Structure formats: C-alpha cells, structure tokens
C-alpha cells in the first residue's frame, strides 16, 4: 500500500490566500540596525528570493537592502495584499486601520504585548480584531513569527539565517520559539520543511483554519502540529479528517495535566479528562499523536519518504545480536510483530551468510558482514511474502565503511515497494553513510526504538486509510425516540429553580429507565416505592427475588453507602431491606433527601461493564466503555471515543479494554453478547449527541448475558445542565 500524496485537498478559506501567495508584502517596523528584529525580518524576506513586491515602512524613511523605506503605510505603492507588522503593541490599532484603508486584507502581527501579558493586552488584542473585522482583514498572531514557504520561496520571520532547507514536511505551531528551535535542529538532520506557520495567540486565524491551505501545497507530503489546545474541537476534527484522507497529520499535543478539573457526578465524568477527549478526537480524524518533539519528526520523515506497509510484520536485519534484541523489544512494544520468514528465504540466507550467522528473524549476519551481504540479505527479506517492512540496524561496520554499506542498501531500498528504515548507530563513524541515505530520501535513526516507533506510525497510517470508508457513524433516523426523550426531559428542565441555573440536576431513575427503553437499551422493570408496604407490593408484582436500591438524589454511588440490597427472596426481606436502606443513607449523609427505594427483579448473572457518555467542552459528547461495577475508577480499564462512535471506534473501545476482550470468553466463562454491547454503545452515544443537556449519563453496570441473550442496564444515572 502506498500513501495518497498526489491528490490535492481543497485550499480552504480563500481569505487566507494572501498569507501563502501574496502578490506584494508590506513590512512595517523595519530597521537599518542589524541587531534589531526589524532588520532580520527585512533581510529574510529579501534573501529568501521572494519574487513579489516588497514595501518597507518606517517613519524615519531611508533605504534598506537597496529598497526605499516609506514613512507610512498609506504611502506604499501597489501591489500589497499582506502586511507584516513588527511595531509596538500600542501602535497596532492605528497600523491596522491604515492597512484597512490601503486595501490590505491579511496581516501578520509579529509583535508581542497582547493577551499573553494580561487583561490590558487582551483588551488591546480584542480591539485589533474588531478593526480587522470592519475591514474584512484576516490576522495571524499576535505574538507569532509568521510564515515560511521554502519552495515559493517566502520567509516572513525575523529568525537568524539560515532558514530551513526545502523539504516536504509542514510544521504548524502554537509556539514561535519552538519554530526557531526546530528549524535549527532540522538543518543538522538532513531534511527540511515545505511550509511553517507560527500561530501565536490565534486572535483570528487558528490551527484548524490553516490545515486545508497547508495540505493543498503540492510540496507538502506530511503535516506536523505542535498544539497547546484546540479552540473548536468538532470543527478541527472535521477539517483534519478531510485532510488525512489525502495526507498524514501528526500532532504533538502538550499540556496533559488534568489540574483544575472539578469533581463530577459519575464515574464517566470523573474519568473523562481532557486528554481522553484529544485521544478520541485524533483517532476519529486519523491524526497520529506523537509523545515527543523528536517523535513528531521521526514519524514525519518516514511518512514523507516511505511507501506504506501492507501490515505489521517486520523483518530485522543486523550485524550485531544486542541491537537486534533491542529492536525486537521495541517493535513488540509498538504493537508490531516479527515476520515469520518463508523457508525459501531462510535457505537463501544460509547460502549467502557464514555458517554461524542466525537466519531466523532477526537476521544476524555477524560483525564481518559486507555491504554486498547487507544488500542481498535485505533483497531476500523484502521479497518474502510474509514480510511487510524491514528494519536494518548498522553499528559502525568493523570491516567495511558506513558509506559503502549505505550505498549498497540505497540501491535496494529506492526500488522497493515495502518500507525500509535504517538504524545507523553511532555518530562520527557513521556520518558519511547517513549523508548518503539522506540524499536518497531513506529515513535513518540513531537507535532501534526510534525506528520501531516510525514503523508503527507507518502501519497505523496504512490501517487508517484501509478503514477510511467506515469513518462516520451510519445514520439512523429515530424521530419517535427523540421526541419521546424530549418529552421526558422537558418537564425536568422546567422544574429547575433559577438559583440552580447551570448546576447539574439529577435525572430521576424512573425517567432514566424510560429514556433507555425508548432508545432501545434494555432495562429491567423498575418501581419506585416510598414506603415499605409499596416496596413489598412492587416485589410481589415483579416476582421474587428482587433488588432494592436507595433513591436519593444526593447519593451518586449507591453501593458506597450500602444503598443496594440483592437477592431479596420474600416480602419480609423487602420490608426489612427498605428500613435498612433508609438508615444507611442517614448514617452516611444525615438529613439527605430520600425519594424512597427502587425495586427491580434480579437479572441472571453475566459480565458487568460500564457504558457512559459525557459532554466535553471542546469536542462534544464522548462515549466510554470499560470494566463496570464499584471498582471502575480504581481499575481504570476504560477507553473513550467521540459519540456517536463509528463501528471501527466501537470495536476499538472493546479491543483496548480487558472488559471488551473478555466478552469473547475467559477460562470457564462462556462468550458474552458482544453485539448487544455494541448496540448499547451506539444508542447511548446517539442519545448524548442528540441531547447535549445530558451532561453525563452512565450505565453501570450493564450486565452482559451469554452470547445471543442480550445485555441489560441494571443501573443508570444522569445529570442535566441547562442554562437560563
């Protein structure tokens, strides 16, 4: 499988075109003093080779790089459709007004001194946005370094030279300082950038806005993102999903801390942290998530330069046993497997290599392996139908040279249809070989762990493209169910007191069980009893044995206070149980309001899981699945997806959790009804998507009966949050 690099995605919002294809650029704040940023900005723009018009502005006038410096924005000639403003923040409103009068419709605010310094700066930033809005002007920044296109060429930054080498990896970053570091680092790594976009404070143009225009660049094969957050989560997911069908996106999302998240009413709410939402969003959009900056570009180089594998079976070729074992561990940790070599391959390797060589996988050619043996061994491995990709490990060759080995391998790799990554271990002794590989666009890494991670990224990309046809949930029109749920929730909204506006309001159990019923989620019959006599009568109606649960809005987790009694076999047990539950609540929370107890029939034994949904402020509803019962927060055997989940995402929830894998059966336990669980995940996800006022809804436990017998929601809790 190869990646789809050639089809060009739509360029997106045409108002962003001047940032990437300006006919003329106005630079306000230039300086003739080489130590100032204004000088560096002017130098970079001129020396980049930008072919359009360049107009410098500074009230002092004069000349710079053989060009006139105009005293004001109003006095600059045509054409000019992009302004780069490197002037003090207090002067920015006046400059934007002048740009608006001048007909400029795009501006890069390279200066700082805005929201990052506090409320006064935030007010100034809002004022600048209002001015831009009146003139139909788009703003990049403030507090950013601008845009680089190494192929146009175009460089609107003030960074010290040299700029990045022309390449095929784009970098979009919330951090300007990281842009500077990455450019300098890449210069020593043998590859370059196609485009760089520094977003800064994002007063207007955001990360989502620039995805399409960057992806539309024919020189960009991979997009990398450094993200500190996402403003509009669902819009980002939609835009990224459109791009990833054609070109890969890799994101480094920082700021993983969950500090400040308030306690919520359900297990689902407490477990649905910010990072769970990002993981689910990236998975839906097909965005690969890197853990480190180095990983971001390790993966990007492989995706830009390699074909995609057909699967996850890897052959390892080396001249040293230790690095080979290290590679095996790293590959397995990354979710890949060692390929089982065809007997014909091992026979050919035995003929080629010394008798002491190991021709299993990994293949250890021994320290004296020649360049020819490296090349021919790799050719044999790539021809094996059971091999999807190869990892070649080369410590400094003791007999030959790194350059000779690299040249021999390059001849094989450049014509191969399977990806090959090289681990050239060392530094000075292998540099000549590294240079040869870089020139041939063959990714190399210093250690096997890096290469294994990059191979895993290639494999995940291939699997995403293979499953792209199932990217969206199948539409299900259920207007009757939606109307019935709305009819149940509307009275609860109207009963809310003004002083509880925006506060969570528990949904009564009887309403929740009816909501589940109309949504197609099986529940046992439920009766609310306010007296011991009513409880006994309900038990007679439902049939013994029964379950009693306390009905008290303030008690979120009933079992924590002894609020659940199981397997009550007669009326006497029910009456005594009623009294016990009321006393348990008063012991745990004196004075707590109690509506009574609920009575349900006992359900046959089965596997208990949790299915929940919670509204995320950035990405909307999330669906959770995992091990259920009272220890769910301790076990944390859970996984999240955006709701409603696609079939592939629902399958991922099950595959990622022990609870989901156990549905297939475990030891003496028979297989449980997996299809019934998938149906509940789908229906609860749709409910959460249709009714965002359900801030949290959770089925715990969902008892899953043996295969073909269904699943039953034994306990359901939810809260409403409705604004005034």
């Amino acid at each position: 499988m190869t990646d789809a690099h050639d089809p060009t995605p739509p360029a997106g919002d045409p108002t962003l075109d001047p940032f990437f294809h300006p006919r003329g650029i106005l630079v306000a704040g230039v300086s003739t003093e080489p130590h100032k940023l204004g000088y560096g900005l002017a130098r970079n723009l001129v020396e980049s080779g930008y072919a359009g018009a360049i107009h410098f502005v500074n009230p002092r006038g004069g000349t710079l790089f053989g060009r006139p410096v105009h005293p004001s924005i109003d006095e600059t000639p045509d054409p000019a459709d992009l302004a780069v403003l490197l002037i003090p923040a207090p002067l920015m409103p006046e400059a934007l007004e002048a740009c608006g009068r001048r007909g400029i419709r795009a501006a890069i605010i390279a200066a700082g001194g805005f929201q990052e310094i506090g409320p006064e700066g935030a007010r100034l930033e809002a004022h600048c946005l209002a001015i831009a809005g009146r003139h139909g002007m788009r703003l990049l920044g403030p507090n950013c370094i601008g845009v680089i296109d190494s192929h146009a060429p175009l460089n609107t930054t003030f960074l010290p030279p040299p700029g990045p080498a022309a390449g095929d990896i784009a970098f979009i970053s919330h951090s300007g300082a990281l842009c500077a570091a990455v450019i300098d680092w890449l210069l020593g790594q043998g590859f370059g950038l196609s485009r760089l976009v520094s977003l800064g404070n994002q007063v207007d143009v955001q990360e989502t806005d620039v995805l399409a225009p960057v992806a539309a660049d024919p020189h960009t094969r991979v997009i990398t993102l450094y993200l500190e957050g996402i403003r509009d989560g669902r819009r980002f997911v939609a835009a990224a999903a459109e791009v990833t069908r054609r070109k890969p996106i890799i994101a480094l999302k920082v700021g993983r801390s969950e500090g400040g998240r308030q306690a919520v009413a359900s297990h689902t709410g407490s477990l649905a942290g910010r990072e769970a939402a990002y993981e689910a969003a990236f998975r839906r959009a097909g965005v690969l998530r890197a853990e480190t900056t180095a990983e971001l570009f390790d993966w990007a180089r492989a995706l830009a330069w390699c074909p995609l594998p057909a699967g996850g079976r890897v052959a390892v070729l080396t001249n040293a046993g230790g690095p080979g074992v290290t590679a095996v561990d790293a590959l397995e940790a990354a979710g890949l497997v060692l390929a089982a070599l065809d007997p014909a391959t091992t026979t050919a390797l035995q003929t080629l290599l010394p008798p002491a060589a190991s021709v299993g996988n990994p293949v250890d050619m021994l320290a004296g392996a020649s360049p020819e043996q490296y090349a021919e061994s790799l050719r044999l491995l790539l021809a094996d139908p059971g091999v999807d990709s190869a990892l070649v490990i080369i410590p400094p060759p003791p007999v030959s040279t790194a350059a000779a080995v690299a040249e021999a391998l390059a001849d094989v790799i450049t014509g191969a249809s399977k990806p090959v990554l090289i681990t050239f271990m060392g530094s000075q002794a292998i540099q000549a070989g590294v240079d040869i590989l870089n020139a041939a666009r063959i990714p190399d890494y210093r250690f096997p762990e890096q290469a294994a991670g990059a191979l895993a990224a290639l494999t995940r990309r291939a699997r995403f493209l293979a499953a792209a046809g199932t990217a969206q949930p199948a539409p299900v029109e259920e207007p009757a169910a939606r109307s019935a749920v709305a009819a149940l929730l509307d009275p609860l909204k109207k009963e809310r007191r003004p002083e509880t506006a925006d506060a969570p309001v528990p949904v009564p159990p009887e309403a929740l069980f009816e909501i589940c019923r109309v949504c197609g989620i099986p529940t046992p019959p439920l009766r609310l009893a306010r007296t011991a006599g009513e409880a006994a009568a309900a038990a007679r109606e439902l049939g013994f044995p029964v379950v009693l649960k306390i009905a008290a809005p303030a008690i979120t987790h009933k079992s924590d206070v002894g609020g659940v009694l199981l397997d009550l076999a007669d009326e006497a047990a029910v009456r005594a149980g009623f009294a016990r539950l009321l006393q348990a609540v008063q012991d745990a929370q004196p004075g707590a309001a109690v509506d009574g107890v609920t009575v349900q029939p006992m359900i046959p034994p089965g596997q208990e899981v949790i299915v929940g949904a919670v509204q995320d402020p950035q990405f909307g509803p999330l669906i959770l699945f995992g091990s259920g019962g009272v220890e769910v927060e301790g076990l944390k055997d859970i996984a999240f997806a955006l709701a409603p989940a696609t079939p592939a995402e629902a399958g991922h929830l099950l595959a990622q959790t022990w609870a989901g894998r156990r549905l297939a059966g475990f030891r003496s336990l028979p297989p449980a009804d997996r299809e019934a669980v998938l149906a509940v995940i789908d229906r609860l996800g749709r409910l959460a998507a249709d009714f965002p006022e359900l801030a949290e809804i959770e089925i715990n436990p969902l008892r899953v009966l043996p295969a073909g017998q269904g699943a039953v929601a034994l306990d359901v809790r939810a809260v409403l949050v409705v604004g005034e």
Side-chain angles (χ1 to χ4, degrees):
M1 176 185 288
T2 59
D3 208 340
H5 292 301
D6 293 331
T8 300
D13 189 342
T15 65
L16 301 181
D17 288 348
F19 291 111
F20 303 101
H21 306 288
R23 295 173 299 125
I25 301 176
L26 179 155
V27 184
V30 298
S31 173
T32 58
E33 300 179 37
H35 65 281
K36 291 194 173 180
L37 298 181
Y39 180 91
L41 198 162
R43 176 203 59 224
N44 288 348
L45 185 56
V46 171
E47 294 184 356
S48 71
Y50 171 66
I54 299 175
H55 311 300
F56 294 144
V57 177
N58 187 301
R60 297 178 181 177
T63 61
L64 182 61
F65 297 108
R67 300 169 185 269
V69 178
H70 303 279
S72 71
I73 292 173
D74 293 301
E75 298 177 60
T76 55
D78 288 329
D81 47 8
L82 172 64
V84 184
L85 306 177
L86 187 59
I87 59 177
L91 302 180
M92 202 62 67
E94 180 182 350
L96 289 172
E97 291 281 13
C99 288
R101 292 192 301 268
R102 177 70 180 69
I104 293 172
R105 295 295 177 260
I108 297 172
I109 302 179
F114 293 89
Q115 65 171 290
E116 74 276 7
I117 68 169
E120 183 177 348
R123 287 190 292 270
L124 178 60
E125 189 170 289
H127 182 36
C128 290
L129 181 61
I131 293 170
R134 288 201 304 270
H135 291 286
M137 185 188 310
R138 301 305 305 270
L139 300 180
L140 184 65
N143 194 30
C144 73
I145 64 169
V147 174
I148 294 176
D149 187 321
S150 62
H151 296 275
L154 172 68
N155 186 338
T156 69
T157 77
F158 47 73
L159 299 178
D168 36 29
I169 297 169
F171 184 42
I172 300 169
S173 176
H174 285 164
S175 167
L178 186 62
C179 291
V182 163
I183 289 172
D184 188 58
W185 178 73
L186 290 179
L187 289 171
Q189 300 302 308
F191 63 104
L193 295 176
S194 53
R195 282 184 174 175
L196 178 144
V197 182
S198 169
L199 294 165
N201 295 0
Q202 300 190 106
V203 66
D204 176 23
V205 177
Q206 302 172 15
E207 69 289 314
T208 302
D209 299 312
V210 298
L211 286 177
V214 170
D217 170 36
H219 299 287
T220 295
R221 296 171 69 87
V222 180
I223 298 171
T224 57
L225 304 175
Y226 170 84
L227 301 174
E228 295 173 357
I230 293 176
R231 297 277 184 89
D232 186 335
R234 286 282 171 152
R235 191 168 76 90
F236 172 86
V237 169
E242 179 64 29
V243 169
T244 55
R245 295 189 187 102
R246 300 169 177 86
K247 297 183 179 181
I249 298 176
I250 313 170
L252 174 63
K253 162 62 179 66
V254 298
R256 291 176 173 270
S257 170
E258 296 295 334
R261 188 172 182 87
Q262 299 298 312
V264 285
S266 66
H267 295 295
T268 302
S270 64
L271 292 167
R274 191 169 48 183
E275 292 309 302
Y278 276 100
E279 290 285 352
F282 290 154
R283 189 177 307 112
R284 169 70 61 86
V287 173
L288 298 169
R289 184 172 188 177
E291 298 295 322
T292 66
T293 309
E295 213 171 53
L296 186 71
F297 292 102
D298 283 347
W299 297 1
R301 183 161 43 161
L303 285 161
W305 291 357
C306 292
L308 294 179
R313 302 168 299 176
V314 185
V316 178
L317 178 65
T318 183
N319 69 346
V325 175
T326 302
V328 172
D329 289 344
L331 290 168
E332 291 184 354
L336 303 175
V337 297
L338 284 180
L341 300 183
D342 189 280
T345 303
T346 57
T347 299
L349 288 169
Q350 285 173 332
T351 302
L352 174 69
L353 300 174
S358 173
V359 295
N361 192 11
V363 176
D364 182 359
M365 301 178 293
L366 304 180
S370 67
E372 294 74 21
Q373 286 173 322
Y374 261 106
E376 186 57 29
S377 295
L378 178 59
R379 188 177 284 111
L380 290 170
L381 291 174
L382 292 177
D384 191 311
V387 171
D388 298 316
S389 60
L391 171 56
V392 182
I393 306 172
I394 314 168
V399 177
S400 183
T401 66
V405 173
E407 286 180 348
L409 289 171
D411 289 341
V412 178
I413 296 169
T414 52
S417 61
K418 298 177 182 180
V420 180
L421 301 189
I422 306 294
T423 297
F424 245 137
M425 301 183 72
S427 179
Q428 295 182 2
I430 50 91
Q431 189 57 49
V434 169
D435 292 341
I436 290 169
L437 294 180
N438 285 337
R441 295 168 58 85
I442 298 170
D444 77 286
Y445 305 92
R446 296 292 78 79
F447 297 103
E449 295 87 346
Q450 294 173 275
L455 274 177
L458 286 169
T459 306
R460 290 201 298 273
R461 173 67 180 165
R463 288 170 178 164
F464 166 76
L465 290 177
T470 60
Q472 297 299 321
V476 176
E477 293 297 329
E478 297 178 335
R482 283 195 292 272
S483 297
V485 172
L488 289 163
L489 293 179
D490 285 345
L492 298 174
K493 300 176 189 177
K494 295 174 183 177
E495 290 171 5
R496 295 175 63 255
R497 300 185 301 276
E499 62 267 26
T500 63
D502 296 315
V505 176
V507 181
E510 59 272 24
L512 278 175
F513 273 73
E514 181 62 15
I515 287 171
C516 286
R517 187 190 66 78
V518 300
C519 290
I521 298 173
T523 60
L526 177 142
R527 302 288 185 270
L528 177 64
R530 293 175 174 80
T531 67
E534 289 182 4
R540 285 196 305 272
E541 177 191 351
L542 296 173
F544 294 100
V546 296
V547 178
L548 298 189
K549 300 176 184 177
I550 195 68
I555 306 298
T556 302
H557 305 303
K558 303 176 183 67
S559 57
D560 290 352
V561 298
V564 179
L565 297 176
L566 305 176
D567 207 20
L568 303 181
D570 53 39
E571 288 190 31
V574 169
R575 290 177 181 274
F578 185 96
R580 283 176 57 194
L581 291 181
L582 266 60
Q583 187 60 52
V585 171
Q586 294 309 310
D587 292 343
Q589 294 190 28
V594 178
D595 296 333
V597 303
T598 58
V599 187
Q600 297 172 286
M602 283 287 293
I603 302 299
Q607 181 181 340
E608 293 193 344
V609 300
I610 181 174
V611 183
V614 62
Q615 301 292 336
D616 181 82
Q618 289 172 301
F619 294 101
L622 301 175
I623 191 81
L624 168 146
F625 172 82
S627 294
V630 297
E631 297 180 342
V632 58
E633 290 189 45
L635 294 174
K636 291 189 178 178
D637 174 41
I638 55 167
F640 283 88
L642 296 189
T646 68
E649 288 167 341
H652 175 83
L653 294 178
L654 271 55
Q656 288 297 110
T657 55
W658 165 239
R661 297 190 295 272
R662 184 184 159 192
L663 293 171
F666 179 66
R667 293 184 176 175
S668 62
L669 297 176
D673 200 328
R674 185 177 189 272
E675 293 305 313
V677 173
L678 292 173
V680 172
I681 290 172
D682 178 68
R683 290 163 185 165
L684 194 70
R686 293 181 187 279
L687 175 65
D690 287 342
F691 294 92
E693 61 267 39
L694 282 170
E696 301 168 33
I697 182 167
E698 175 179 289
I699 300 171
N700 184 32
L702 176 73
R703 181 164 292 173
V704 190
L705 303 176
Q709 298 181 31
V712 183
L714 299 187
D715 196 10
V716 188
R717 62 176 65 92
V719 293
L720 282 169
V721 175
V722 185
E724 286 292 350

